[in-house]
Amino acid sequence: MLSAINRRVLSILLSCILLVSMLLTGCGAETTQHKPGKIRIGMTLYDQYDTFLSQLAEEFAGQIEPDVELITYNASQSQQTQNSQVRKMIEEGCDVICVNLVDRTDPTAVIDSARKAGVPIVFFNRELVEGDIGRWDKLFYVGADAAQSGIMQGELAARTCLTDRSVDKNLDGIIQYVVLEGEAGHQDSIVRTEYSVNTLMKEGVKVDKLGYAIANWNRAQAQTKTSQFIESFGDSIELILSNNDDMALGAIDAYESSGMIKSGWPVIFGIDGTDVGLEAVRDDKMVGTVYNDKEGQARAMYRLAMLLAKGGSIDELSDEYAVSEGKYIRLPYAKVTAANINSYLGR
Ligand code: GAL
């Protein structure tokens, strides 16, 4: 028989075991059963209807091996929703979480939750600022170099303007252009616009900016904004630089519904090389785009996520990728025109 003292010691011991196991399972939170031996990866997208990201997420899902589980959430453009999704994925036992931030300037809640639980985060596509990524050693970023995409778009546009005299429709020696911009405050909007226009000028093209419009990466919004440009400027727009393919396609939609004959259209350039974007290059509606390597980014994210889930380090990837500051992996962009479209279609 146990003495009263031994019974007390036993009951304290049992309470401690219960407390520890509650802490480990998230203290009464609703958790799905984490299958033993399986690695669980969480992913949250700022908006699952974004064309480029939905294709990137599809590529990522295509990498998942049989002993790995993937849980994906759509944050529907709400940072608050995303914060609670991250908490939920931690409760659900995710070993690593890939976060496509809604508001790239507001990652505090995500970082705090992850750090508290010791779950590494791979941010992607929407780059957080340096001060934030430095807040914990298990925060990483996979994406691309926005400046490079702007430079490549500028080079493509310059080559067309300098070699095809028909671009300068009014023959004034100056290219009248408009810019379609992504979200205000997104690194890819600010940087692409700046580098694209500066490169165009550096390459020797004289330019005259008629206007710019923010269309949030969105095809329908870009169509509306371009229709307004057509109303204001008629056929005097000679070049459209779009921060992504979907907005370039919105511009094409606007010209198609304007009834203007194709020879009156401006030359249009995008960035991304989404399936629909590549088709527009093939069909000679868009002169060129810059390939945002979704396959490469998805592969790098998966390789990194798996390493981190197993307790490894990003340095193990440095033979395959250019790892900078022990935190960043950036995949290179590539120029796409009618000349090399066949090697990109159907990737
Ligand atoms: C950019 C991409 C856009 C859009 C955006 C969302 O890199 O070019 O099409 O997907 O990311 O953050």
Side-chain angles (χ1 to χ4, degrees), residues 46 50 52-53 125-126 186 188 192 217 244 272 292:
Y46 93 102
D50 177 291
F52 172 74
L53 279 163
N125 171 264
R126 299 162 76 86
H186 190 303
D188 287 340
R192 283 175 182 169
W217 310 120
N244 80 341
D272 273 346
N292 196 356

Side-chain angles (χ1 to χ4, degrees), residues 74-142:
N74 175 21
S76 307
Q77 304 207 13
S78 157
Q79 189 57 57
Q80 271 199 346
T81 303
Q82 186 164 66
N83 297 343
S84 50
Q85 289 171 345
V86 169
R87 285 194 296 271
K88 189 150 193 297
M89 285 186 272
I90 291 170
E91 287 166 8
E92 286 173 339
C94 286
D95 301 291
V96 55
I97 302 176
C98 299
V99 179
N100 177 227
L101 280 169
V102 175
D103 181 349
R104 72 186 195 96
T105 66
D106 187 17
T108 305
V110 170
I111 295 174
D112 288 350
S113 309
R115 191 174 177 173
K116 209 164 124 202
V119 176
I121 302 279
V122 178
F123 291 99
F124 65 102
N125 171 264
R126 299 162 76 86
E127 188 170 337
L128 64 173
V129 292
E130 250 183 83
D132 286 327
I133 206 166
R135 285 175 47 195
W136 186 34
D137 62 355
K138 293 207 164 33
L139 306 175
F140 304 90
Y141 179 76
V142 175

